[in-house]
Amino acid sequence: MHRSSCVIVGASAAGISAALALRRLDYRGTITVVDGDPHPPYERPPLSKALLDDTTGGLVPIVPWSTYADLEIDLRLGERVTAIDPGALKVHLGGGEQLDVDRLVLATGVTARHLALPHADADNVLTLRDATDAARLSAQLARGGPLVIIGAGFIGLELAAVARQRGIDVTVVEAQPRPLANIVGPEVASLVVDLHRGHGVRLITGATVERFAATGSTVEQVVLSTGHRLDTATVVVGIGVQPRTELGTSARVDVDHWGFPVNEFGQTSRAWIFAAGDVASQAHPHLATRGRLEHWDTAQRHGAAVGSTVAGEPVRYKEAPYAWSDQYDATLQIIGRPRGTDQVVIREGATPQRFLAFWLRDGRLAAAAGMDASREIGIARRLVASTVLVDNAVLADAATDLRALLKPHRPRSPEQLAG
Amino acid sequence: MSWIRACSADELDDGDALQLPTDPPVAVFKADGEFYALDDTCTHGLSSLADGYVDGAQVECAWHLAKFDLRTGAALSLPATKPLCTYRVRVDGGDVSVEVPDRV
């Protein structure tokens, strides 16, 4: 009998989760995961949170190495997929080999955006996406500062925190009036700004890079639109990402502004080709418009849902997005996606080191963010998944036990709700 | 190993947990009327599981959402792949005691 074959492009959180879900649900076909990155599949979040000392020593494996052999998941690491042939049902590898395929999962992720400026490719201008980037950055930072970070998103702020903890002089440049404002709104953004300024980060907002002043292949000064001239030893550019959709052309699947558009089951415009994780353009119930959910938790859950669907048990991915970001000694956690039209409630007693914020939509909790408040965020996650009506004064009251709000309506878990 | 008093039995409601200042730290949970004691530190990301969300006989890590079985310590979901150590619990009268490793 013909054995079915699933090829997964990307040994990422999404790709590996898909592979594991396939086997968990007794998928009997072959599973091949292809990735150009030669390292055994590793967790990306720690890359920006604690910098590596060498290229492999500090990498955190997604699952123990033996798992892949145990589950007959064939890893093709350090190899690239060059094309998909949907007519012949083949995946072409860079070395010339062709793999049979009847189910394809594109978990190709995203790449860091670069600045379109002269010297943006200088030796000391870096981005951070993978283990190789992290090793380069770590070696660069070992020489000391000053460090100039372009972009005050999650990557930029986490790096700022890590560098300050190493005693490095840090300046963060942000084009918007506030960092993270599109993600957590101005109130919470101000608290995060205060936290970083309190740790000695210099933050310049409403500014863009006008040009790099370089000697040879080394940038020595960053000149801003505001007129600032920043001396620098290392520049890190964290200004967002671009989806890796190159394979869409040969696969002849639709590609949009965000990535590969998928339905609620992760299917692209071609029913046997799926996309999972960062590269998927989703019409997700927590997004106001179609878009990407660029979080590790999403990648993992979306990958698992797609793997389950490929294995014959369709799963819709509709859980609230969840992200965390380590900032100095505390963790910033965000559940859901705040919108400008939501009513924001900051719990009494908020400080930059510890706070809790809620966003209400139609009387229900739509999103929450907390710094050093992980216990409350765990409960807020259930409230977001529930239909419990909440009151802003109750949420603002520091004495409120959030768990008590859940009790009258014992909710189903987010996983059950997603099913 | 030695037994230490963790708390009084009425101190914890279902879904509550507390962290014992042992080395390594141990967390005591109450779930569906039963008490459980396990390593407090998540085997994945070093967070305190006493801060996690208890649902039935499972606890979900507060940081990265790995789940563990309170009865066996088994890791039930990614990102955790390693189990937690479990410890014996005794309820004597109104007191909850846990058998913890001796400090080395």
Side-chain angles (χ1 to χ4, degrees), chain B residues 1-4 20 22 24 26 87-88 98-103:
Chain B
M1 302 292 283
S2 49
W3 288 91
I4 62 166
L20 299 180
T22 50
V26 169
Y87 303 98
R88 291 203 290 164
V98 179
E99 192 182 34
V100 296
D102 294 317
R103 192 179 272 270

Side-chain angles (χ1 to χ4, degrees), chain A residues 43 322 333 381 403 410, chain B residues 15-16 44 55 60 62-63:
Chain A
E43 293 188 357
Y322 167 69
Q333 296 175 292
R381 192 162 156 260
R403 219 172 48 184
R410 177 73 184 160
Chain B
D16 284 347
H44 168 257
D55 194 5
E60 178 184 84
W63 284 0

Side-chain angles (χ1 to χ4, degrees), chain A residues 188-199:
Chain A
V188 169
S190 294
L191 289 165
V192 176
V193 167
D194 289 346
L195 179 72
H196 281 273
R197 289 204 165 125
H199 278 93

Side-chain angles (χ1 to χ4, degrees), chain A residues 8-354:
Chain A
I8 298 169
V9 190
S12 52
I16 296 302
S17 287
L20 297 173
L22 280 162
R23 284 292 184 243
R24 192 164 57 238
L25 293 164
D26 273 339
Y27 177 77
R28 300 292 172 84
T30 60
I31 300 176
T32 309
V33 183
V34 189
D35 199 307
D37 193 323
H39 302 96
Y42 56 90
E43 293 188 357
R44 282 176 207 265
L47 297 180
S48 54
K49 295 167 169 80
L51 287 169
L52 305 170
D53 291 324
D54 57 57
T55 51
T56 55
L59 293 178
V60 180
I62 295 176
V63 291
W65 183 237
S66 59
T67 306
Y68 301 105
D70 292 348
L71 297 179
E72 293 186 58
I73 295 169
D74 187 17
L75 294 181
R76 307 291 293 262
L77 303 174
E79 298 192 54
R80 282 174 204 288
V81 173
T82 53
I84 312 296
D85 183 342
L89 293 176
K90 297 283 185 191
V91 168
H92 294 237
L93 300 185
E97 196 183 339
Q98 297 185 11
L99 305 175
D100 290 332
V101 64
D102 51 43
R103 291 290 181 276
L104 180 70
V105 178
L106 298 168
T108 46
V110 292
T111 57
R113 278 182 58 208
H114 293 261
L115 287 167
L117 289 172
H119 308 297
D121 58 350
D123 291 345
N124 62 336
V125 178
L126 309 176
T127 56
L128 180 56
R129 279 304 299 175
D130 61 22
T132 306
D133 296 341
R136 262 183 85 194
L137 180 56
S138 190
Q140 187 71 31
L141 290 184
R143 298 177 201 168
L147 168 65
V148 176
I149 297 170
I150 315 298
F154 284 118
I155 295 277
L157 292 178
E158 285 180 359
L159 277 179
V162 170
R164 283 304 299 145
Q165 286 176 314
R166 284 192 179 191
I168 293 170
D169 177 86
V170 178
T171 303
V172 179
V173 179
E174 168 59 45
Q176 301 293 318
R178 280 193 191 83
L180 300 178
N182 296 336
I183 300 169
V184 291
E187 300 85 356
V188 169
S190 294
L191 289 165
V192 176
V193 167
D194 289 346
L195 179 72
H196 281 273
R197 289 204 165 125
H199 278 93
V201 172
R202 184 182 183 203
L203 178 67
I204 303 174
T205 56
T208 53
V209 179
E210 194 91 355
R211 65 187 178 87
F212 291 123
T215 302
S217 59
T218 303
V219 167
E220 293 184 328
Q221 260 191 350
V222 181
V223 182
L224 302 185
S225 55
T226 48
H228 291 86
R229 300 177 74 91
L230 308 171
D231 289 334
T232 189
T234 302
V235 179
V236 176
V237 179
I239 55 169
V241 294
Q242 285 175 317
R244 297 180 60 181
T245 52
E246 302 89 334
L247 292 174
T249 308
S250 59
R252 298 199 299 275
V253 295
D254 291 349
V255 172
D256 68 14
H257 174 72
W258 298 282
F260 295 116
V262 295
N263 66 12
E264 58 195 337
F265 297 108
Q267 275 173 314
T268 66
S269 57
R270 206 177 266 281
W272 61 275
I273 301 182
F274 295 75
D278 285 356
V279 81
S281 160
Q282 306 187 51
H284 188 278
H286 278 267
L287 293 177
T289 61
R290 179 173 277 277
R292 282 192 302 269
L293 286 165
E294 298 162 12
H295 304 307
W296 184 77
D297 182 67
T298 297
Q300 197 183 256
R301 289 172 198 273
H302 194 226
V306 167
S308 182
T309 299
V310 172
E313 293 190 25
V315 171
R316 292 180 175 87
Y317 173 72
K318 52 187 183 185
E319 289 175 72
Y322 167 69
W324 81 91
S325 177
D326 294 340
Q327 310 270 331
Y328 305 98
D329 298 322
T331 296
L332 170 65
Q333 296 175 292
I334 304 168
I335 184 84
R337 278 290 175 95
R339 294 181 193 168
T341 48
D342 294 339
Q343 183 184 12
V344 60
V345 177
I346 311 284
R347 187 168 252 214
E348 293 165 350
T351 66
Q353 290 76 30
R354 181 172 160 78

